[in-house]
Amino acid sequence: MKSQLLASPGQRVGTSPGQPPVPARRNPTRGRFAAQHRRRMFRTDMLTVALWASLAAALALWLADGGMSSVGNLTQAVTAVGILAGLAGMDLVFLMLLLAARLPFVDGAVGHDRALEFHRKLGKPALYLLLAHGLLLATGYGMAEGLNPVSEAVALWTLVPDMWLAFVSMALFIAVVVTSLVAVRHRFPYEFWYFVHLLTYLAVAVALPHQFSVGGLFAEGTWQRWYWLLLYIGTGSALAWFRIARPVIATYRHQLTVRRVVPLVPGVFSIEMSGLRLNELSGNGGRFFVWRFLAPGMWWQAHPFSLSAEPQVGKSSRQPTLRITVRNLGAGSARLASLKPGTKVAIEGPYGVFSTAARSREHVVMIGAGIGITPLRALLESTPFAPGQATVLLRCSSTEELFLGDEILELCRKRGATLFHLTGPRSANTQSAWLPASAGTSRLRDFVPDITDADVYICGPSAWARLVLAEAKASGVREEQLHYERFDW
């Protein structure tokens, strides 16, 4: 392990593993980031309230239509539960679509990855409710007509207008959820899963006709019909604007083209791009963009990469540029090494809260491993801190994997941050397995004694990041101080 302790005015120069911890301040959120932290927590609370309110409103549609007064026997009770299951299930589908719509309000509150994580968690409950909707209605209607559920389902398909579309919608929902299961989706390329996932929009669209033509809840002239229609229109508009229009506008506005590809070590390279109005993208160090390189065979592949350098737009820059750094982790990313200068680039983003927008404290700790070191380089470049208020820990197996290490060292010298190089094979100590063996019995607090009074940014392989997160929490760091981005799908 190699530790580099950099002189920084006003800092505890010479700190080394083993120094006694520094107690946390009683009011850690007091400072220049306190207000933005409170706003972010408020937005998170409002999202939670909105989610439950949306679900309650969906169920209230039936109650306001005199739903309970229609329940007088078992047959009517089964039918009523089926209707409620359908309303709740479709409401969850709307919420899932909005969570995936990359709404700035949602992204800025909880981050893109956590929004998608919750999106995935809603998938199974939504499907179960929609399946229950179909089964209970077939049972309830069948009980009323003296038919079994299968015969009633066949009758609904053949005799009731628009019902066949409801069956098609259900089949599409099942296909989407099944291909989203972890054990299934990892058997297919991302692009296959993605295009199957697009069937969700078709499933929602073909489910609409039977909702308005069957039953009286959404009958023409009712306010319930307008409420439900507005949910459709609002969700569709959000998706059209944030998933399609804004990326097209950003691509046209910034006119990004590949300037050059710079090899770092075998399998790792930086892509420099030039474009217009790049000053508008400054200050997004740590956040990620979705890149599509418009070259033959590549244009349909989306690559989520974070910036490894802030846009260079100063007077000294003849041509404004920005940079990402890529590791060859598959056929798609490997082909990027062959990009030619002048290749056009489509852009979406920036997304996520792995940035200054998530800061709540004056002190900041950045911990990176592997290719995860490179986003920290851009974050270190842009996030505010006074000399002595930042610590950087870079974990790698060898110095060759210390990607952009010279640039990070120079930034640390310039800005007064403490830098640790944690190199070598991993420790056998299960309590600190994210550290190299040469660290011995050292723990995270030995490197950063006042870590409970800092925002902690972690970027690296998922298994390694989980170990760091676990130790940070065990050290007393609160969940709201931990910032990490997950790119798994």
Side-chain angles (χ1 to χ4, degrees), residues 321-396:
T321 60
L322 53 75
R323 186 185 69 186
I324 59 175
T325 300
V326 179
R327 184 170 197 167
N328 173 6
L329 295 175
S333 54
R335 294 187 64 187
L336 300 181
S338 63
L339 284 170
K340 304 297 183 186
T343 301
K344 301 293 183 183
V345 185
I347 185 175
E348 299 176 39
Y351 300 127
V353 289
F354 195 82
S355 68
T356 302
R359 291 280 299 276
S360 63
R361 268 78 169 166
E362 297 295 322
H363 290 75
V364 60
V365 178
M366 305 174 211
I367 310 174
I371 198 64
I373 290 174
T374 60
L376 294 184
R377 188 258 179 230
L379 180 64
L380 175 66
E381 187 178 21
S382 61
T383 197
F385 60 84
Q389 291 184 330
T391 303
V392 182
L393 294 90
L394 305 182
R395 174 75 178 96
C396 52

Side-chain angles (χ1 to χ4, degrees), residues 65 78 135 211 346 358 367 376 382 420 433 478:
D65 193 44
V78 172
L135 180 62
Q211 295 171 17
I367 310 174
L376 294 184
S382 61
F420 290 97
R478 301 174 63 176

Side-chain angles (χ1 to χ4, degrees), residues 131-463:
L131 287 172
H133 168 68
L135 180 62
L136 289 171
L137 285 187
T139 302
Y141 292 159
M143 290 170 67
E145 298 175 9
L147 297 174
N148 63 58
V150 175
S151 299
E152 180 61 31
V154 172
L156 289 171
W157 173 285
T158 56
L159 301 178
V160 180
D162 301 329
M163 279 304 298
W164 69 275
L165 288 173
F167 285 92
V168 171
S169 173
M170 182 62 68
L172 293 174
F173 276 126
I174 292 173
V176 170
V177 173
V178 169
T179 55
S180 296
L181 298 175
V182 174
V184 177
R185 71 173 185 256
H186 285 177
R187 294 177 180 271
F188 299 101
Y190 168 81
E191 288 74 19
F192 172 82
W193 168 86
Y194 178 76
F195 286 113
V196 171
H197 217 65
L198 293 180
L199 293 176
T200 303
Y201 305 122
L202 181 60
V204 173
V206 299
L208 178 62
H210 91 282
Q211 295 171 17
F212 286 166
S213 63
V214 180
L217 181 59
F218 295 138
E220 193 167 350
T222 62
W223 66 268
Q224 288 93 341
R225 183 186 182 95
W226 280 107
Y227 174 83
W228 208 246
L229 197 56
L230 285 175
L231 282 183
Y232 263 92
I233 294 173
T235 304
S237 299
L239 287 166
W241 176 252
F242 291 107
R243 295 297 302 270
I244 300 175
R246 282 188 52 158
V248 170
I249 293 172
T251 298
Y252 177 77
R253 184 169 182 78
H254 295 296
Q255 305 270 321
L256 288 171
T257 58
V258 174
R259 185 180 183 192
R260 61 174 181 165
V261 177
V262 182
L264 299 181
V265 298
V268 179
F269 49 90
S270 290
I271 302 174
E272 292 183 2
M273 290 166 272
S274 58
L276 305 176
R277 304 180 183 89
L278 298 190
N279 59 309
E280 297 174 4
L281 302 178
S282 298
N284 287 299
R287 304 185 75 188
F288 74 94
F289 295 80
V290 177
W291 312 87
R292 294 178 189 272
F293 296 94
L294 307 181
M298 297 185 189
W299 64 268
W300 50 276
Q301 293 180 326
H303 301 278
F305 293 129
S306 302
L307 296 176
S308 62
E310 281 281 293
Q312 304 299 312
V313 295
K315 294 181 180 178
S316 60
S317 299
R318 294 181 179 178
Q319 190 175 21
T321 60
L322 53 75
R323 186 185 69 186
I324 59 175
T325 300
V326 179
R327 184 170 197 167
N328 173 6
L329 295 175
S333 54
R335 294 187 64 187
L336 300 181
S338 63
L339 284 170
K340 304 297 183 186
T343 301
K344 301 293 183 183
V345 185
I347 185 175
E348 299 176 39
Y351 300 127
V353 289
F354 195 82
S355 68
T356 302
R359 291 280 299 276
S360 63
R361 268 78 169 166
E362 297 295 322
H363 290 75
V364 60
V365 178
M366 305 174 211
I367 310 174
I371 198 64
I373 290 174
T374 60
L376 294 184
R377 188 258 179 230
L379 180 64
L380 175 66
E381 187 178 21
S382 61
T383 197
F385 60 84
Q389 291 184 330
T391 303
V392 182
L393 294 90
L394 305 182
R395 174 75 178 96
C396 52
S397 298
S398 63
T399 53
E400 288 73 23
E401 294 184 358
L402 199 61
F403 309 125
L404 307 179
D406 290 342
E407 295 182 20
I408 293 175
L409 175 61
E410 184 58 31
L411 281 170
C412 287
R413 289 187 188 282
K414 183 178 178 181
R415 302 202 59 192
T418 301
L419 173 65
F420 290 97
H421 287 175
L422 309 173
T423 57
R426 68 173 60 185
S427 171
N429 183 354
T430 55
Q431 292 185 322
S432 56
W434 65 277
L435 285 168
S438 56
T441 59
S442 297
R443 305 298 299 275
L444 181 56
R445 289 198 68 150
D446 296 325
F447 294 95
V448 194
D450 54 353
I451 193 169
T452 56
D453 190 30
D455 284 301
V456 182
Y457 291 80
I458 302 166
C459 193
S462 298

Side-chain angles (χ1 to χ4, degrees), residues 39-171:
R39 287 194 296 270
R40 197 164 77 88
M41 292 300 101
F42 178 76
R43 289 199 296 269
T44 303
D45 291 342
M46 288 299 99
L47 284 174
T48 304
V49 171
L51 187 150
W52 286 109
S54 169
L55 197 56
L59 302 181
L61 296 175
W62 179 77
L63 293 173
D65 193 44
M68 288 302 295
S69 63
S70 65
V71 180
N73 54 45
L74 179 60
T75 299
Q76 292 168 344
V78 172
T79 303
V81 175
I83 294 172
L84 290 172
L87 291 170
M90 276 307 298
D91 192 75
L92 291 186
V93 171
F94 288 134
L95 291 172
M96 290 176 65
L97 293 177
L98 289 173
L99 286 170
R102 297 170 183 167
L103 304 177
F105 184 85
V106 176
D107 189 72
V110 299
H112 182 65
D113 57 342
R114 286 160 186 78
L116 288 187
E117 181 181 5
F118 196 60
H119 163 94
R120 286 191 288 269
K121 287 181 178 178
L122 291 179
K124 286 183 181 178
L127 178 62
Y128 294 155
L129 284 167
L130 294 176
L131 287 172
H133 168 68
L135 180 62
L136 289 171
L137 285 187
T139 302
Y141 292 159
M143 290 170 67
E145 298 175 9
L147 297 174
N148 63 58
V150 175
S151 299
E152 180 61 31
V154 172
L156 289 171
W157 173 285
T158 56
L159 301 178
V160 180
D162 301 329
M163 279 304 298
W164 69 275
L165 288 173
F167 285 92
V168 171
S169 173
M170 182 62 68

